[in-house]
Amino acid sequence: MNYIIAIDGVAGSGKSTVSKLLSKKYNLFFISSGKYYRAITYLYNKNNFHEINEDFINLVNETNIKLDNDSIYLNGEDISNQITDEMISNNISLIANNEIIRNIVNQKIREFSKEKDIIMDGRDIGTVVFPNANLKIYITASSWERTKRRKKELLELNKKVNIFSIWNSIVKRDYKDKHRKIAPLIKSKDAIKISSTKMSIEEVVNEISKHIKR
Ligand code: C5P
């Protein structure tokens, strides 16, 4: 196994931004595991499925899902912008709750560790995907702080903003991520917890860097 950093935490806590910066600083390959769940939710919506059945599992298995830096492709189609839609976030728990789908995603994302030193963000990276990761971080932030960050992101993408619906979706997603039966979001005992509400991105990066150096 190569060097692995697992970054878990709640939606909108800054995991991806921090992981991306650390990946550049330490020359690690960055994988956002949430992008796989988002891409599979996109596939589900696009093909008008109403339940996860054998046909859908076959479709997931037949579909080429490829991550390349910040972009994610479904059979060659770049769906990076589409997967950030609020519609995807609201429907994703159905996909993320399914054990067969989680196994497919885990198999794909574990492959990366065979060839590269990686930093991966998600909900179950330190607990399920890489329980032997070299460094585990668990990032949190208040729901209100995360709502403000999400609002800023959406405005930058020229998307519509409804502050209440953002907050509502964050709180609902936290609940679903933490209370699902399979691979719920929990802090691994050996993970270092960082509460980022009052911290800048740089401060979080510096804090994690101290542990990487150690
Ligand atoms: O990290 P991101 O917000 O893109 O993840 C989207 C959703 O995918 C999460 O709310 C969660 O339901 C699911 N997910 C997961 N396990 C992971 C990563 C993401 O269940 N390792």
Side-chain angles (χ1 to χ4, degrees):
M1 192 169 90
N2 291 326
Y3 192 80
I4 295 170
I5 303 179
I7 312 269
D8 288 306
V10 288
S13 57
K15 299 182 303 292
S16 297
T17 311
V18 163
S19 302
K20 227 180 279 172
L21 290 168
L22 287 166
S23 78
K24 291 205 179 98
K25 190 169 173 184
Y26 293 101
N27 196 22
L28 302 162
F29 190 72
F30 167 54
I31 300 131
S32 162
S33 60
K35 282 199 171 154
Y36 282 89
Y37 292 99
R38 287 175 180 273
I40 295 171
T41 308
Y42 173 84
L43 188 68
Y44 182 88
N45 291 347
K46 192 180 170 193
N47 290 281
N48 296 316
F49 277 93
H50 299 291
E51 57 169 349
I52 299 179
N53 53 23
E54 208 183 324
D55 284 350
F56 183 62
I57 299 294
N58 288 339
L59 179 66
V60 175
N61 275 320
E62 284 159 11
T63 304
N64 183 342
I65 306 173
K66 192 167 166 270
L67 194 70
D68 187 7
N69 290 316
D70 266 355
S71 305
I72 186 146
Y73 299 85
L74 265 194
N75 290 334
E77 180 198 357
D78 185 349
I79 55 157
S80 315
N81 282 338
Q82 289 92 314
I83 62 164
T84 61
D85 275 1
E86 222 49 45
M87 255 277 279
I88 298 277
S89 305
N90 293 340
N91 294 343
I92 208 161
S93 58
L94 177 76
I95 301 296
N97 262 322
N98 184 282
E99 198 167 9
I100 302 174
I101 291 182
R102 295 203 75 87
N103 287 336
I104 296 173
V105 171
N106 289 347
Q107 208 181 341
K108 284 183 192 294
I109 58 185
R110 282 191 187 115
E111 283 293 312
F112 288 104
S113 70
K114 291 185 184 158
E115 294 162 16
K116 299 174 167 105
D117 292 329
I118 58 175
I119 182 163
M120 184 179 291
D121 84 352
R123 305 294 186 285
D124 59 342
I125 308 305
T127 49
V128 176
V129 184
F130 292 118
N132 297 322
N134 302 79
L135 177 64
K136 298 181 189 178
I137 305 287
Y138 184 87
I139 311 186
T140 62
S142 73
S143 55
W144 178 238
E145 176 61 29
R146 288 182 283 139
T147 301
K148 288 193 288 181
R149 291 178 190 168
R150 182 76 186 129
K151 177 186 160 198
K152 190 167 168 259
E153 259 172 34
L154 288 172
L155 287 175
E156 277 165 13
L157 291 169
N158 287 325
K159 291 194 176 172
K160 273 195 214 147
V161 169
N162 175 330
I163 196 97
F164 177 72
S165 93
I166 299 174
W167 179 82
N168 196 29
S169 136
I170 283 180
V171 172
K172 272 192 187 154
R173 202 137 60 94
D174 282 356
Y175 185 87
K176 286 178 182 165
D177 285 347
K178 288 179 181 173
H179 292 88
R180 67 175 176 229
K181 283 205 183 103
I182 310 154
L185 169 65
I186 41 167
K187 181 190 160 301
S188 169
K189 280 195 187 115
D190 50 352
I192 295 155
K193 185 172 174 178
I194 298 180
S195 302
S196 75
T197 305
K198 292 188 178 144
M199 291 170 86
S200 67
I201 289 294
E202 288 70 29
E203 284 170 325
V204 179
V205 168
N206 290 340
E207 183 59 31
I208 300 176
S209 297
K210 284 185 206 159
H211 297 286
I212 296 178
K213 280 173 194 155
R214 237 173 255 161

